Amino acid sequence: MLDANETAAPSRDDLQDWLSPLYGERAAAECVDAAAAAAVRHGLPIASETSIDAAFNVLITYADIVQRPGESPLATLRAFMAAHLADAISAIHILPFFPESSDDGFSVMDYRAVHPELGDWDDVSALAADHPLMFDLVLNHASRKGQWFANYLGDTDPGRDYFIEVDPKTDLRAVVRPRSTPLLAEVATARGTRHLWATFSEDQIDLDFSNPRVLDEFIDIIFEYVARGARLLRLDAVAFLWKELGTPCIHLPQTHRLVKFLRALLDHYAPGVQLITETNVPHAENISYLVDGDEAHVAYQFALPPLASHALLTGEASALTAWAKTLPALPEGCHFLNFTASHDGVGLRAVEGILDAEAITTLVDATRERGGFVSTRAVADGSHQPYELNIAYYDLLAAPEEHDSNAHMDRFICSQAISMALAGIPALYFHSLTATHNDRAGVEHSGRYRSINRRRWDMGELEYKLGADGAHARVFARLKRLLAIRARQPAFHPEAAQQVVDLGPSLFALQRRRGDQTLLAVHNVTDRPVQLPVHVLPEARVRRNVTAATEISGSSRAIRLDPYEVAWISD
């Protein structure tokens, strides 16, 4: 723990300056004072010792994704990590593990408790002793079944003024929607019938951040999470945080100001803790939370999952290459989180303006052919557009007759290698590591498309499969090996220089450079062999393909890359 006098800028005056335009001088000062009191309650300031380097990566998982009779799922997860992934995975993103009422944890009833069916805070602390942890901060909305909402209904504190009442006659057509459900939820209160803002579902009621007391609550929650071991904080659905009638209510200046304030707050009280924005929106909007350098530390790379799958399904990397060329050099300390799969589906909003309608149709048709579903969202003209592909990413990359074939596994490994090679921090979903298939039974049970990618494994069954000679074991072993190889390459540091190398539509190639190492990462996205000219490789007397552990002869004119082969070639 640090002494409070040892914390550096931003100062408390700086924190107040961030808030004054939102709440006025007096309310801003009260909020900053409340933050100081919350820091004392939770034993802050405290600094993170997490090192973001070439070896750093993140595992995305539910707390109960592996289960064993008679044991809390959080304890089972820790045991699985220790037995199988201790050296392969750096940080763990535990998806919401709080008491909840829907959406697999994202409708939070109590932000300060662990769901008793998952374990307790001691289980979380035990995991935090092994790995840096990412917690979700679900701050856009709260559960309709939580205490805050009960207090709202009863006109008592805290909660009576935490939600957003809207006259149902209000013209809300300008509001950007991520869902096809109604924007307003009708509720009966002690004051009569009210209509409340509900961006995602009628069980997830949006919180009113124009009320500084709501911010006070979340500052206290953030500090408790840091004290409990969170070293990365994921701001769920943060783009929708601030509402103002007559606007799209997404990415408003007030939202950006609040995120900048939270960054300054962490820099003051918890230096080193990383703030991650989750904004499944068009690419240019997504990276707006990174480019100033004083907002998020990390942002999800939402365009990557659809672009990588499109390249591998069509054997055509041109769109992926063209997009990668547009990626900006980020301010120091800011990174992309590169992923292909998560607990949600493959979002399509990020590739609006990048992939054309025909390419989107290709992805939609492939999803349905492979047993998946397509979620839609409502747009201003009243129509519905594809919003998300709901399918296990492993299954998306193979036609049914190809399941678990060598070509299927090679194609999938190539997709994961692409996310590992790009500048930033690689994040792997648990079900990608284990080559998990579509869970259609889960969809039938829950009635939700997203359940297709949220299977819960029995620990014994999973360990049996990982010990057998099947696709689960082979993909798991290959991805662990690839992560180990990546960790040894300085050129894969998140801040290493990146240059996209256009080698034609069959290959996706990046040159990464840091210190004494230059590395060319080449990925064959086709189902046929491709010749890679030696003259494009890094100049050196001896060059080594680190993925194949082979040296490349100086007399060679070209290297043959087999279908979906990955070649990371270092000087």
Side-chain angles (χ1 to χ4, degrees):
M1 184 181 300
L2 300 177
D3 183 86
N5 295 326
E6 295 177 7
T7 55
S11 67
R12 287 181 58 175
D13 287 343
D14 295 327
L15 297 178
Q16 186 170 329
D17 288 344
W18 278 117
L19 293 182
S20 293
L22 298 177
Y23 303 124
E25 293 289 340
R26 180 176 177 180
E30 290 174 352
C31 192
V32 172
D33 288 343
V40 172
R41 282 197 302 275
H42 296 293
L44 276 62
I46 187 171
S48 169
E49 298 178 357
T50 303
S51 176
I52 308 296
D53 57 19
F56 192 78
N57 58 55
V58 177
L59 174 69
I60 305 168
T61 183
Y62 281 100
D64 59 349
I65 209 158
V66 283
Q67 303 175 14
R68 189 157 56 186
E71 185 173 59
S72 71
L74 280 164
T76 306
L77 176 62
R78 185 187 184 209
F80 182 87
M81 295 297 301
H84 301 284
L85 292 170
D87 298 328
I89 294 298
S90 305
I92 306 174
H93 172 199
I94 313 176
L95 290 154
F97 50 84
F98 318 109
E100 48 84 23
S101 56
S102 66
D103 199 18
D104 282 340
F106 284 93
S107 187
V108 181
M109 296 168 59
D110 185 349
Y111 289 83
R112 296 178 173 89
V114 176
H115 197 302
E117 293 181 4
L118 301 177
D120 55 30
W121 281 118
D122 288 341
D123 291 316
V124 175
S125 296
L127 261 176
D130 298 339
H131 299 271
L133 298 183
M134 185 193 302
F135 287 13
D136 279 282
L137 191 67
V138 186
L139 70 174
N140 179 71
H141 48 262
S143 171
R144 191 169 178 157
K145 298 179 177 62
Q147 190 60 52
W148 290 346
F149 194 76
N151 290 351
Y152 164 79
L153 296 177
D155 198 26
T156 60
D157 286 324
R160 74 167 78 209
D161 55 358
Y162 280 13
F163 303 95
I164 305 168
E165 297 181 353
V166 182
D167 185 334
K169 297 178 183 178
T170 303
D171 184 353
L172 299 171
R173 286 176 295 179
V175 176
V176 172
R177 298 302 320 285
R179 296 287 186 274
S180 299
T181 53
L183 179 59
L184 301 182
E186 182 178 306
V187 298
T189 77
R191 303 170 305 286
T193 299
R194 295 290 188 270
H195 294 82
L196 299 180
W197 204 292
T199 297
F200 291 93
S201 78
E202 64 176 2
D203 186 51
Q204 295 165 295
I205 310 299
D206 286 38
L207 291 154
D208 184 4
F209 274 87
S210 69
N211 177 358
R213 301 289 76 81
V214 173
L215 180 61
D216 288 345
E217 287 274 14
F218 277 94
I219 290 172
D220 185 77
I221 290 165
I222 287 169
F223 287 171
E224 178 163 359
Y225 289 177
V226 172
R228 297 283 194 181
R231 294 299 173 261
L232 305 97
L233 285 170
R234 176 183 181 270
L235 304 184
D236 177 65
V238 70
F240 302 95
L241 201 62
W242 196 280
K243 281 77 174 177
E244 187 171 304
L245 295 179
T247 75
C249 297
I250 185 171
H251 313 305
L252 294 186
Q254 298 94 326
T255 294
H256 281 285
R257 180 168 284 274
L258 272 175
V259 177
K260 290 172 185 278
F261 165 75
L262 294 179
R263 165 74 176 262
L265 184 78
L266 288 173
D267 287 347
H268 184 89
Y269 287 109
V273 172
Q274 302 283 299
L275 200 64
I276 301 176
T277 48
E278 186 265 343
T279 54
N280 188 0
V281 294
H283 178 68
E285 299 172 25
N286 182 42
I287 66 174
S288 69
Y289 293 86
L290 278 182
V291 293
D292 285 352
D294 62 353
E295 203 160 345
H297 297 92
V298 183
Y300 279 72
Q301 190 71 281
F302 274 104
L304 180 59
L307 283 168
S309 56
H310 177 265
L312 287 158
L313 290 174
T314 63
E316 166 62 70
S318 297
L320 177 62
T321 296
W323 163 79
K325 287 181 177 180
T326 71
L327 294 177
L330 298 177
E332 184 178 356
C334 294
H335 313 297
F336 292 115
L337 190 76
N338 296 319
F339 74 109
T340 59
S342 73
H343 60 293
D344 291 337
V346 177
L348 297 176
R349 289 223 63 201
V351 289
E352 291 177 7
I354 299 174
L355 291 180
D356 60 22
E358 182 180 354
I360 296 296
T361 298
T362 296
L363 290 173
V364 167
D365 291 347
T367 297
R368 290 175 172 149
E369 178 193 40
R370 290 153 171 77
F373 304 93
V374 179
S375 298
T376 62
R377 70 181 186 95
V379 293
D381 65 3
S383 64
H384 291 181
Q385 292 182 352
Y387 172 75
E388 183 180 81
L389 311 177
N390 300 115
I391 188 169
Y393 203 78
Y394 179 66
D395 278 357
L396 176 60
L397 293 182
E401 63 272 14
E402 288 184 300
H403 260 191
D404 296 336
S405 65
N406 289 333
H408 181 190
M409 288 184 278
D410 290 345
R411 190 182 299 122
F412 180 71
I413 295 297
C414 186
S415 75
Q416 305 309 292
I418 289 171
S419 70
M420 293 183 202
L422 279 161
I425 299 168
L428 290 92
Y429 188 36
F430 191 99
H431 287 313
S432 293
L433 278 171
T434 55
T436 305
H437 292 297
N438 292 331
D439 185 10
R440 291 183 64 90
V443 175
E444 293 175 9
H445 176 75
S446 70
R448 298 189 303 272
Y449 288 166
R450 282 180 167 177
S451 297
I452 199 167
N453 195 30
R454 298 178 177 181
R455 176 179 176 171
R456 269 53 172 181
W457 280 104
D458 173 78
M459 177 83 149
E461 179 189 6
L462 180 57
E463 291 197 317
Y464 171 78
K465 290 182 179 296
L466 294 181
D469 185 25
H472 300 291
R474 293 166 67 185
V475 169
F476 191 73
R478 289 177 67 179
L479 287 177
K480 284 177 62 177
R481 177 179 177 273
L482 205 57
L483 286 169
I485 292 169
R486 183 188 186 279
R488 296 193 294 268
Q489 313 308 317
F492 280 139
H493 190 285
E495 294 184 1
Q498 174 171 287
Q499 178 184 352
V500 179
V501 182
D502 192 343
L503 299 177
S506 299
L507 300 173
F508 178 67
L510 302 162
Q511 182 174 276
R512 303 292 307 279
R513 180 184 291 116
R514 186 174 177 87
D516 294 333
Q517 186 184 36
T518 299
L519 185 148
L520 184 70
V522 187
H523 312 83
N524 181 0
V525 302
T526 76
D527 60 0
R528 61 187 183 277
V530 175
Q531 296 295 315
L532 175 66
V534 168
H535 70 80
V536 305
L537 303 183
E539 293 185 7
R541 184 175 62 83
V542 176
R543 288 169 289 207
R544 185 172 181 82
N545 181 353
V546 297
T547 52
T550 58
E551 290 188 358
I552 298 169
S553 168
S555 61
S556 301
R557 291 189 176 184
I559 304 168
R560 172 192 162 107
L561 294 183
D562 287 333
Y564 308 113
E565 184 175 353
V566 175
W568 292 344
I569 302 168
S570 172
D571 59 0

